[in-house]
Amino acid sequence: MPRSDRLLRLLHAMRTMAGPLTAARLAEETGVSPRSLYRDIDALRSAGARIEGARGYGYRLLEDPALPPQMLDRDEIEVLALGLAEVRAWGDPALARAADSVLAKIAATLPDERERQLLHAIAQVFRPEPRYAAPLDLAPLRAACWQEQAVDIRYVDGDGAMSDRTILPLALFYTETCVTALSWCCLREDFRMFRTDRMADIRVNGTSFRPRRVPLLRDYLAQLQARHRARDDRGSNPASVTVN
């Protein structure tokens, strides 16, 4: 592994793990020997990183030169802490890990007082059960959205009928009750919403629909907004939408 990559990996470990961290623990996390770890600590300090600690005690990253300082007020810090706590409560392991990583990276750029406020925010989220209990890992579906690749799903509709569909996933919507994939359905040749908790299987088939995602999503959102306006004019619930 190139030394620059190794140093970035060490910085990430020190941002995301609770300190003080022993040299042995950091060496294990970054895959180097303790002797190399000591040299890497010295290199980071020479580059401007404020790392507290010494051999036999442990290390803690106080200031990270790789990230610019953030000027956030107390309310903005509460918003960050509350939003990231909500993401961790969704029940998606990949997004929970990402939320922890974001929290650690932002904390590393804050002055000491603001860092304490972020890590010990007064706004908390308590959910004894995950908010979204999707039976499948949604990481492939998110990746397909980003990579603009078609997905084969086995889907159970509201009447209990199962069908195999090929969809072009455009975006994921997180609502009060479920995560919904806004998609182009290749079977119906039209826009459709698919609840992820009704998906029995998700397989990315590798077929690219780039660069159609952005215009498709724009057209779908425009249709939804027009439908909501029409329902609002008729006095019906503008928030209701049809989901397969």
Side-chain angles (χ1 to χ4, degrees), residues 221-234:
L221 293 177
Q223 286 187 22
L224 291 176
Q225 291 169 358
R227 192 183 308 169
H228 293 342
R229 285 194 295 268
R231 288 173 177 168
D232 198 21
D233 291 341
R234 293 196 301 267

Side-chain angles (χ1 to χ4, degrees), residues 5-41:
D5 293 345
R6 195 172 75 235
L7 293 178
L8 288 174
R9 186 172 180 178
L10 175 57
L11 273 176
H12 181 72
M14 298 188 76
R15 290 183 197 130
T16 56
M17 299 167 65
L21 298 162
T22 65
R25 180 72 183 90
L26 286 171
E28 178 185 4
E29 184 69 20
T30 55
V32 300
S33 68
R35 179 175 296 181
S36 295
L37 189 281
Y38 293 135
R39 288 198 295 266
D40 288 346
I41 291 286

Side-chain angles (χ1 to χ4, degrees), residues 157-180:
D157 66 18
D159 297 324
M162 180 174 288
S163 62
D164 292 324
R165 308 282 187 102
T166 296
I167 65 173
L168 310 183
L170 308 176
L172 296 182
F173 269 21
Y174 290 77
T175 66
E176 280 297 316
T177 57
C178 64
V179 183
T180 302

